[in-house]
Structures are given as structure tokens and as C-alpha cells.
Amino acid sequence: MTETTNSSEMPKAYEPAAVEGRLYKMWEDGGYFAPTDDDGEPFTIIMPPPNLTGELHVGHALMDTVEDILIRWHRMRGQPTLWLPGIDHAAIAVHTLVERKLAEEGLTRYDIGREKFLERVWEFVNTSRSRIFDQHKRLGASADWPRERFTMDEGPAKAVRTVFYNLYKKGLIYRGERLINWCPGCQTAISDLEVKHRDEQGNLWHVSYPLADGDGTITIATTRPETIVADTGIAVHPDDERYKAIVGKQAILPIIERELPIVADNVIDQAFGSGALKVTPGHDPIDFDIGQRHKLPVINAIEKDGTMSEDAGPYAGMDRFECREAIVRDLDERGHLVKIEPHTHSVGHCERCDTIVEPLISLQWFMAVNKEYGDGKSIAGEALRVVNDGLIQFAPQRFTRDYLNWMENIRDWCISRQLWWGHRIPVWYCDDCDETTAPPPDIEEPEACAGCGGGNLRQEEDTLDTWFSSALWPCSTLGWPDNTDDLKRFYPTTVMETGYEIIFFWVARMIMMGLFCMEELRDKVEDRIPFKFVYLHGMVRDDKGAKMSKTKGNVVDPIELIEKYGTDALRFNLITGGATGQDQRLWEEKVEAGRNFANKLWNASRFVIMQLAGEGEIGTPSVAARESMPAEDRWILSKLDRLVDEVDQALHDFQLNEAGRRCYDFLWGDYCDWYLEMAKIRLRAGDKTLLPVLAHVLEIGLRLLHPFMPFVTEELWQRLREETQEEGPAALIVAEFPKPDPAWRDEAAERDVDGMIEIVRAIRNIRSERKVEAARFIEAFVVANDEASESSVAAGAAHIEALARVRPLKVVANAADAPRSGVATAVLSHAVAVVPLAGLLDVGEERDRLGTEIEETEAYLKRLDGKLSNEQFRGKAPADVVAAEQGRRDEAQSKLEGLQRALGEIG
């Protein structure tokens, strides 16, 4: 056991800083994070690798919380459990960060060269890695740290070389000129998924193109006049009556004076602009496809730095947006500008640096995801099949459709990046011939050309997309391409947990690559999938529902919250703050509520431990003795068994928020607020027969809550075991997770004690509404609905009297036996609680007070109704403002009804 102090020295409040570091060290030193050698199906999660560029944020905190809950739960269920941590090299992010640091010194990467640049990167990497893992540990992550992997380690690097070689051999990786997304800021190609579109206010410029035969003009509408210089055609819809007569003719490109063929294509939207589209294959993906179908030439008018190329004619060398202004001015002066209309349209920005992305034709490396190989299958087709067949399931299930829709329309993946940091593409070009050499993975650098045998080779300068190596994560971290013991035992992994926003970036690619990589090692497709379940968590937003960002200044630092409220408070708030896959809002007061829960549990445990002090081994409750137990003991044990069943089922269903909420409701409500208070009555009377129940329910509750709040539960469990002296595991982290036992269910006890609690609540509410002093005893009647209710209420009379501060309490069978005037009543499911008001208050004063409050509330309601009935207010005010006013109106109406009811009761 860990070092603890005895119960008399327990602090009065939970102090996370005094506990968390000590317990984490105990867990690590005890080897509890490593999978056991036990037989049975292992439970495996490969940690999504955070990138190296900075501190962990609340999204990582949520990820760690979800994964750690699943890991701790399965570990406690006795399964060999592996949570393998890792970190991603984050090519573009780290590359950009190091380039910025060089810029501060007045340097570029080209000034110092590739080797020195990579030395700088590795300096940053080695500093950042340890910091990031320390932060994971602060969050309580019980990962197997000695197995930590990095995407640039030798093992993952060998996996990258191997899969590249295998794909290349099968013709599934190729080099070609294609239209790609180019970021002029990051100076690299980026994938479609790395382009973030947002609506922006711009213009629609209508430009007239003269027909070459002099017989009129054709007008096109464009949002990008700077690309006019790269037009190689004009397209119209074949059914558009306006243009049928000129299809096949030529038009003259203004300013450049190039002839453009007019073609018919079904993709054209007749309702947009003039219904005629200028076709610019070099700068738009739709235009590129049209150009391919009609064999139109491709012109690159924009360079990779965002300036205009030589093909831009008089605009060569200009910035692309300066060119826009210049060309619009020239078109106007030459009479080609018909009109300008304001127009809102979607503009693509680089996810990393927010620069407007430029579609460009570029020579890049691609992965052919739809090309058939082997026995007629394709990489994308296999990834579709395993999800359609249910071999991989999504939680929440609604994301299955999103995945399938995207995979059904997937295009070839541009895998090359114009960066120096990352996995350098393992191909070499021969300067003596045109041969490209892709050596087997065990040869890191070929000595001779595969074509001519010469040694004049140079390696490809580009690196692979970060997601290429990340897509191998489930298998490369376990030793693939070698058929290691870890790969045999832990692959396929069990759960891949990540954010829903990278389902296409990463999840889909892991499925594609996992299936391909494991083909030679596994015969059955169910043994080749990288994981069986995909758990997708939502986004953590600020208190107003906005996405957190440094530019908005609304980022919440999880480490700051931990230092203020403790890890358990943050974890519990994150997991119960939203349903699986739903976004949630986070603000400090919510985390404070988690700290309050930890304190509630601490104080309750402190009380129990004090009662157990010196009692020695007390044993545990026996089902055989259940019938002889008092109703409240049978009630709490029945409720506990119900909780065990519900929590286990919720965890099986990936409803982690619901499992946490039910633990909270039971421990705070049933156990602390009710059972402990009933226990105190018996303890004051010298009855210690309840101690086994008191301790047992707490101990099982701590086990159930441990995956959610590991630190406070472990500390309390250790202290509790010191007093109960039970045999068992040395730490809660490896204690058995509770199993339900229906023999403890007692519907009658639940009904009777729940009924008693309902009466106590009703009388407490009456006392509160009437502002009766807390210490004062009052008279009360309970009119039972039937004989059974009368019997159960009478049996719980002592608890009602003590908990509701009632003396005398009179339980009657007939309403006629209870007073009817000058009373406050509460109609309950099985009885009516009646409290005589005489002597509790000055009736006249109370009547006047209620009358005044009724008048004020009616006036307030009238003002709110006037505001809400104002159509101008409803039409102009934001929806949340209107909803807030409606909420105030509902509260005021409820208050008015309560005041009127109270006035009626006193006569």
C-alpha cells in the first residue's frame, strides 16, 4: 500500500497537490501500466500522437480522459491492457516553427542547408517530447511509457519505407503532374483535408469575350479575374438554348488575344452568372476535369510564391491580388468589363497558416486509392468493405455514414510535401538515365541505379505527408513490418479514440493502410483491420460555444485548471460535460463543481474511516443475512447493485458520460445525502451493525468511480483498506471492477425508502418556502394512500423525524384525521404530507408579504410578456437572447403560481 496517514490526521478537505504526484509515482513504480502476461483477449488503445509544436490543450485533456477511463476499466476487469503512447513529428507545424525562429535571426533554411536545418529541428524535438509526456502524466494517463513511440524513430521509419516500396511495386504510388492545393505561405502542397473553406464577401466580375468570327460576344462571370490570363476554353451547358448556336466556335481572350474553343459540358450550372464558364484547367479542379474531357491545354499563370508567371503576359511578376486589381482596371478601360456584382463565396485557406490556397498544376507523388491490384481489390474498396460488413464500428454510429460517403468519393492522395522535416521520399533519380530507383526497405540508400547500374544518384527532395506515417500508427508502433510478439498479441487493436474532425485525415487512412500492410501476415480480413471500434469525441468549446483559438484569446489551459482544482475535477467535468461525439462548453465554474464532488466524497469517506477506526476487520455484508437487515441497508445495497449494472452497461455502450453521471448521482445523492445521514442516526444510538454496509458501499463506489477520478479514489481506497484490513490487491488501479449480483436487488426496500425520502424532501421544501429556522422541530402529518404505505411510512418514522426535523410526526390512514385549513400540503406518489402552519409564522404578516411579492411578480411578468410579444424584438434579437428572455418568463410564471398557492394555503 502507498503511504497514508491514519483517519484522525486526514485533512478536512481533499488536497490534490499532496496526492497526485505521489500516487502517480506509486502506479509507475508498481508496473501497473504495463499489460499483464495473463491469457485472454487483450484490450489495446494506441494513443493518437499529439504533435510536437507546443503544450497540450483541453482537446488533448478530453482525449486522455476518455482513453484512460476505457483503459482503467478494462484493466480492472482483468484483461491484459495496453495503452501505447506516442508522438507525431508534425511536419508542416514543426517545419514552420523552426523556419520562424530562423527568420528571427535573419536566415532561411536555404542559408543553412538541409543538414543544419534538421539539426535545429531535432534540438526542438528532444526538448518538446519530454514536456508533452509530463503533461500527459499530469492528466493521470496510465499509459505504458517504456513503449513510447515517435513517428521518426527507426521502427516507424522502416515501416514507412516498407509500405512505400510495397505500394510502389504494385503501381499504387506514382509521380505525375496534377492539380493540387498549394499553400504559398507554407510553400508546400497540401491535401484537400488541409484546406479549410469559409464564406467571404467578394465580387462577381462579368467579362465579355469577343467571338473570333466577329459575330458578337459571350459574357462569363468569374470570382477570380487574375486567372483569366490562363483561360484555355469556354464551357456552356449542352441544353442551354442561349449558346447552342456558338458551341464549336472560337472566342478571343481579352488582353492576351488567345483563341479559346467554346465547348459543351454537362457540369455547367446554367443559373450561375451568365451560364458560361471560363475554363482555367491550371487553377481550378472543376476546370481541370473539363479540360481533361475536352483536351484543353493547361497554363500555369501563378507561381508557387503567389506571383504571376511569365504566362501571365503583361502581369508577370505581380502579386496575384495586385494582378486582380490591374486586370480589372485594364478590362474596364478596354470595354470588356460588363458589370461587377457583390458576391459571397467559399474561399479555401491553409489550415496551418491561413493563407489563401492556390490550385496549381504541379509534379507530385500520389497514392492511387481506387486502382485495382492483386485479385481486383482496391485500397479504398477494402476500407469501405470492412465498415459496411460491421468489422469496424463507430461510436456514435451516425459517423458511419460520414465515413462511407467520403470513402465512396475519395480521390488519389497527394502524399508529397515540399518540406525538409519528415520522412524523405525513398526514391532516387539517376542523372545518367531517366530511371527512378525505389530500393527495398532494408536498403536505406542504393548504391547503383536500377536501370543503368550507374552510381550518379540523387534522392527525391520532397518528404511524405505527415498523415502517411500516422496512417501506419496501429501497426508500426507494434513492430510492423516485422511480425513481432507485440504485433501478434495486440493487433488488431481494440479502440481508436480521436476527434470527429479528423475522421478523414486519419481514421480512414489508418483503415486503408492497416488492411494493406497486414495482407502478407494475416489471411482473414478481420485480423487485418487496425482496430474494431472508433470512438469519436466532440470538440471542447468556450463558455459561449465558440471554438477556442489563440487569436480569440479564449483558450483554456488544462494544466492551470489542474493546479487550481485538481486533475480529477477536470477529468470528471470533461467526461460528463457532453454525450459521446457531441461538442461541449467548458468554463471554470464547471470544473469547480468537479472539485466540490471530490471534496464531498472525501468528507464522506473521512466520516466512514473515523467510524471504522479501531474496529479491526469488519467483514462484508452477506446476501444470506439480507432479509434481517434494516430497510435502509437493503435499500442502499439494492441501489448499489443497480448502479454496478448500469455503469458497466454504459461503459460497454461507450456512454462514458452517462456512466460518470450515474456514479455521481449515487455517491452524492443516495450514499452521502441519504444513507450516511440515516447511518448517523443509528450510530448515535450505538448501533454499529451497519459498519460493514457503510464501508462496503463506499469501497464499491470508489471502484466504480476510479476510472473517472483515479487520484481521489485511490487515496481514499488506500485509507479505507487500512481500517477494514481486507485482503486483496495492493492498489485500486488493479482491483477488480464490480460485477452485478441480482441477489442484492430488493424492490420493496427501494420502494419504501424512496417513499420515505420523498416525504422528507416535501417537508424540507415546505420549511424552506416558509423560512422555518433549520433547528426548529415542527409538527407534521402523513396521510398514507393504503395500508402498505402506512406500514412503510411508520417503519421509517424515526428517519423522517430526524431528517425533516419533525416532532411529532403523525401517520394516519384517512385524510379526515389530518387538519385541512391553515396548512401546507404536498401530494406525493404514495402519501400526502401535511404541515400545520399555526405557530410557524404570523399569518397576517405572511399574507401581506405574499401579496406584495405577487404584485411585483405580476408586474415583472407583464414587462416580459410585452417584450416577448414585440415582433421587432423577436425579429432582430439573437435566438439565444430571445430564449433567455423566455426562460426568465417561465421562471417568473412558476414563481407566481407558487406564491398564489402559498397564499391560498394560509387562507
Side-chain angles (χ1 to χ4, degrees):
M1 288 192 184
T2 186
E3 294 178 15
T4 58
T5 55
N6 63 45
S7 57
S8 63
E9 294 174 335
M10 278 184 73
K12 291 186 178 179
Y14 175 52
E15 299 170 358
V19 169
E20 292 177 357
R22 168 168 53 82
L23 288 182
Y24 199 90
K25 184 176 186 303
M26 179 198 79
W27 292 331
E28 271 201 295
D29 291 348
Y32 298 130
F33 298 165
T36 62
D37 294 328
D38 298 343
D39 292 335
E41 184 179 355
F43 179 85
T44 309
I45 294 179
I46 308 295
M47 182 185 289
N51 69 46
L52 284 160
T53 53
E55 311 294 324
L56 297 186
H57 53 67
V58 287
H60 294 116
L62 175 59
M63 177 195 80
D64 275 3
T65 299
V66 169
E67 293 176 26
D68 196 47
I69 287 170
L70 293 171
I71 286 291
R72 288 177 184 268
W73 173 49
H74 282 275
R75 185 185 289 127
M76 292 176 77
R77 294 180 75 220
Q79 288 180 260
T81 302
L82 172 63
W83 187 13
L84 194 153
I87 202 159
D88 188 78
H89 65 280
I92 293 181
V94 172
H95 197 281
T96 303
L97 188 148
V98 175
E99 281 203 297
R100 280 201 204 110
K101 290 184 181 295
L102 285 173
E104 291 171 5
E105 302 172 32
L107 298 170
T108 70
R109 58 171 153 150
Y110 302 104
D111 294 329
I112 64 172
R114 188 170 196 140
E115 187 176 337
K116 292 289 184 186
F117 179 81
L118 292 177
E119 285 178 11
R120 295 263 194 138
V121 172
W122 277 106
E123 284 176 18
F124 171 78
V125 165
N126 292 328
T127 303
S128 185
R129 280 175 81 169
S130 61
R131 183 180 70 250
I132 287 171
F133 286 120
D134 285 344
Q135 291 173 338
H136 278 300
K137 293 177 181 182
R138 288 292 303 275
L139 290 160
S142 58
D144 191 2
W145 299 111
R147 294 177 188 259
E148 179 252 314
R149 297 289 185 270
F150 178 44
T151 48
M152 294 294 288
D153 286 344
E154 176 49 36
K158 180 182 177 182
V160 167
R161 294 195 305 272
T162 302
V163 74
F164 186 96
Y165 176 75
N166 291 343
L167 288 163
Y168 186 78
K169 267 199 318 180
K170 295 178 187 295
L172 300 176
I173 282 181
Y174 64 92
R175 192 182 189 218
E177 282 197 329
R178 297 285 186 277
L179 191 74
I180 51 93
N181 301 300
W182 180 266
C183 174
C186 295
Q187 283 287 291
T188 183
I190 58 176
S191 72
D192 291 345
L193 295 171
E194 293 166 295
V195 180
K196 297 303 173 190
H197 289 86
R198 61 172 180 259
D199 288 342
E200 295 185 1
Q201 183 60 50
N203 290 315
L204 199 57
W205 286 271
H206 294 254
V207 181
S208 67
Y209 289 47
L211 297 179
D213 61 7
D215 190 19
T217 63
I218 183 171
T219 298
I220 61 91
T222 181
T223 59
R224 301 194 63 205
E226 68 274 16
T227 63
I228 282 176
V229 292
D231 291 357
T232 58
I234 294 174
V236 297
H237 196 279
D239 297 333
D240 196 327
E241 296 294 336
R242 294 170 294 178
Y243 302 118
K244 279 188 174 181
I246 61 171
V247 171
K249 289 189 175 185
Q250 302 282 321
I252 304 297
L253 180 62
I255 301 174
I256 303 299
E257 303 295 324
R258 182 168 57 245
E259 287 198 356
L260 309 176
I262 300 171
V263 300
D265 198 289
N266 287 317
V267 79
I268 304 303
D269 180 359
Q270 299 178 58
F272 178 78
S274 64
L277 178 77
K278 72 184 202 66
V279 184
T280 318
H283 296 288
D284 185 273
I286 293 174
D287 293 13
F288 179 80
D289 291 341
I290 294 172
Q292 293 286 294
R293 286 193 290 274
H294 298 280
K295 296 183 172 55
L296 300 177
V298 176
I299 295 174
N300 255 349
I302 300 176
E303 301 282 10
K304 291 179 178 178
D305 62 358
T307 61
M308 304 306 290
S309 72
E310 291 298 321
D311 286 319
Y315 309 104
M318 282 188 181
D319 175 80
R320 54 184 168 157
F321 299 116
E322 290 175 6
C323 172
R324 176 180 294 181
E325 295 177 7
I327 203 166
V328 168
R329 183 180 61 249
D330 292 348
L331 287 168
D332 191 24
E333 288 176 358
R334 300 185 189 196
H336 294 291
L337 188 62
V338 178
K339 63 178 177 178
I340 303 173
E341 290 179 321
H343 178 67
T344 301
H345 63 126
S346 180
V347 179
H349 293 253
C350 173
E351 180 193 45
R352 182 63 53 189
C353 70
D354 206 43
T355 301
I356 292 178
V357 169
E358 197 62 56
L360 294 179
I361 295 291
S362 179
L363 185 62
Q364 301 285 343
W365 286 89
F366 295 86
M367 184 169 135
V369 294
N370 293 307
K371 182 179 178 181
E372 292 187 356
Y373 71 98
D375 54 359
K377 60 193 170 191
S378 70
I379 289 174
E382 289 297 285
L384 268 168
R385 180 163 73 96
V386 294
V387 174
N388 274 322
D389 290 350
L391 296 178
I392 296 177
Q393 298 177 41
F394 285 79
Q397 211 169 9
R398 67 178 185 275
F399 287 109
T400 306
R401 188 68 256 164
D402 294 343
Y403 170 87
L404 295 174
N405 284 341
W406 190 73
M407 288 301 301
E408 285 163 1
N409 296 285
I410 193 172
R411 304 175 118 190
D412 285 359
W413 175 12
C414 177
I415 58 173
S416 50
R417 297 292 180 268
Q418 288 62 55
L419 305 170
W420 286 353
W421 171 238
H423 293 280
R424 197 167 175 181
I425 293 177
V427 296
W428 280 256
Y429 306 114
C430 181
D431 288 334
D432 297 330
C433 69
D434 293 331
E435 188 68 25
T436 296
T437 300
D442 55 338
I443 299 175
E444 292 193 30
E445 187 168 349
E447 295 180 357
C449 170
C452 67
N456 197 9
L457 300 175
R458 54 187 170 81
Q459 188 177 357
E460 167 66 72
E461 292 288 329
D462 290 355
T463 54
L464 288 162
D465 180 7
T466 296
W467 297 103
F468 189 90
S469 54
S470 297
L472 306 176
W473 202 234
C475 61
S476 68
T477 52
L478 295 172
W480 188 88
D482 299 327
N483 196 17
T484 62
D485 290 341
D486 274 359
L487 191 68
K488 292 173 185 174
R489 188 181 188 202
F490 296 112
Y491 189 98
T493 66
T494 314
V495 175
M496 173 48 63
E497 191 279 338
T498 189
Y500 64 70
E501 69 275 11
I502 58 173
I503 185 173
F504 311 126
F505 268 122
W506 193 37
V507 175
R509 289 164 175 174
M510 281 189 287
I511 295 172
M512 289 191 291
M513 294 292 249
L515 289 165
F516 179 82
C517 289
M518 297 300 291
E519 279 184 350
E520 294 180 7
L521 296 178
R522 305 280 174 90
D523 293 330
K524 296 179 180 177
V525 68
E526 57 265 34
D527 295 331
R528 298 200 299 266
I529 56 174
F531 31 74
K532 299 165 189 173
F533 299 97
V534 179
Y535 180 111
L536 297 166
H537 66 248
M539 191 176 292
V540 184
R541 299 177 177 272
D542 72 7
D543 58 338
K544 297 178 179 63
K547 186 176 179 180
M548 293 187 191
S549 72
K550 289 180 180 177
T551 54
K552 290 179 183 176
N554 63 347
V555 173
V556 176
D557 183 353
I559 302 301
E560 286 182 9
L561 291 174
I562 285 172
E563 288 174 351
K564 193 167 183 180
Y565 300 106
T567 298
D568 290 330
L570 176 62
R571 284 170 59 119
F572 195 73
N573 172 261
L574 288 172
I575 204 60
T576 57
T580 306
Q582 297 288 343
D583 290 355
Q584 61 173 284
R585 300 184 184 192
L586 177 68
W587 59 91
E588 196 162 322
E589 289 77 10
K590 288 179 71 178
V591 184
E592 187 177 9
R595 191 266 313 271
N596 295 343
F597 179 39
N599 271 331
K600 181 86 168 179
L601 196 60
W602 181 270
N603 289 328
S605 301
R606 185 170 181 268
F607 171 80
V608 173
I609 290 168
M610 288 173 66
Q611 303 309 310
L612 296 172
E615 294 293 328
E617 188 175 346
I618 60 168
T620 56
S622 165
V623 173
R626 183 174 69 86
E627 292 301 324
S628 62
M629 292 180 182
E632 63 269 21
D633 289 356
R634 290 183 283 116
W635 170 79
I636 195 67
L637 289 166
S638 182
K639 289 268 192 178
L640 177 66
D641 189 72
R642 192 180 301 279
L643 173 72
V644 169
D645 192 27
E646 290 173 348
V647 168
D648 201 56
Q649 188 58 53
L651 289 171
H652 271 290
D653 295 340
F654 293 106
Q655 299 297 323
L656 276 59
N657 64 308
E658 185 64 18
R661 187 188 65 76
R662 296 200 180 193
C663 287
Y664 175 93
D665 289 346
F666 175 85
L667 288 166
W668 187 301
D670 295 337
Y671 186 70
C672 294
D673 283 353
W674 293 107
Y675 185 71
L676 276 190
E677 294 307 309
M678 289 185 269
K680 287 175 184 177
I681 299 168
R682 289 166 61 186
L683 287 166
R684 283 195 292 268
D687 178 4
K688 292 192 174 184
T689 60
L690 55 65
L691 289 180
V693 176
L694 198 64
H696 172 74
V697 176
L698 176 59
E699 199 267 348
I700 296 298
L702 292 173
R703 292 190 194 215
L704 289 169
L705 189 61
H706 177 73
F708 303 87
M709 302 178 79
F711 291 108
V712 69
T713 52
E714 181 76 74
E715 179 72 3
L716 291 173
W717 190 84
Q718 294 284 350
R719 291 176 181 271
L720 182 65
R721 289 294 286 259
E722 282 186 9
E723 299 298 341
T724 60
Q725 299 179 17
E726 281 187 60
E727 296 294 325
L732 176 57
I733 190 174
V734 288
E736 184 181 11
F737 199 78
K739 294 186 178 75
D741 180 358
W744 283 113
R745 293 294 175 91
D746 193 323
E747 301 291 342
E750 288 195 41
R751 183 181 63 250
D752 291 348
V753 178
D754 285 343
M756 181 268 291
I757 289 171
E758 193 179 10
I759 292 168
V760 172
R761 281 200 179 110
I763 296 174
R764 283 178 174 178
N765 287 340
I766 291 170
R767 294 177 64 108
S768 175
E769 289 169 2
R770 302 294 184 241
K771 297 181 172 55
V772 177
E773 300 93 329
R776 181 177 177 181
F777 279 89
I778 63 172
E779 182 183 20
F781 291 77
V782 175
V783 183
N785 287 359
D786 51 44
E787 191 174 326
S789 297
E790 183 181 6
S791 176
S792 69
V793 173
H799 291 316
I800 297 171
E801 288 179 343
L803 298 175
R805 304 293 285 176
V806 171
R807 192 181 297 150
L809 173 68
K810 297 175 182 176
V811 183
V812 297
N814 300 309
D817 294 331
R820 297 187 182 183
S821 61
V823 298
T825 61
V827 179
L828 310 175
S829 59
H830 65 303
V832 177
V834 181
V835 176
L837 298 177
L840 293 185
L841 44 82
D842 184 305
V843 175
E845 284 184 10
E846 181 67 2
R847 187 182 292 113
D848 292 342
R849 183 187 71 79
L850 291 171
T852 301
E853 276 203 62
I854 286 170
E855 288 177 7
E856 291 173 352
T857 306
E858 285 175 336
Y860 180 53
L861 263 173
K862 187 175 181 181
R863 290 196 301 273
L864 287 172
D865 284 339
K867 193 172 187 179
L868 288 165
S869 62
N870 186 322
E871 292 300 326
Q872 207 169 20
F873 168 72
R874 283 189 170 276
K876 291 185 177 179
D880 59 335
V881 172
V882 176
E885 288 297 297
Q886 184 63 52
R888 293 187 188 98
R889 197 254 174 235
D890 294 343
E891 287 176 12
Q893 181 63 43
S894 178
K895 180 182 177 182
L896 178 62
E897 291 169 1
L899 290 167
Q900 290 170 336
R901 184 172 58 252
L903 183 61
E905 286 173 348
I906 64 172

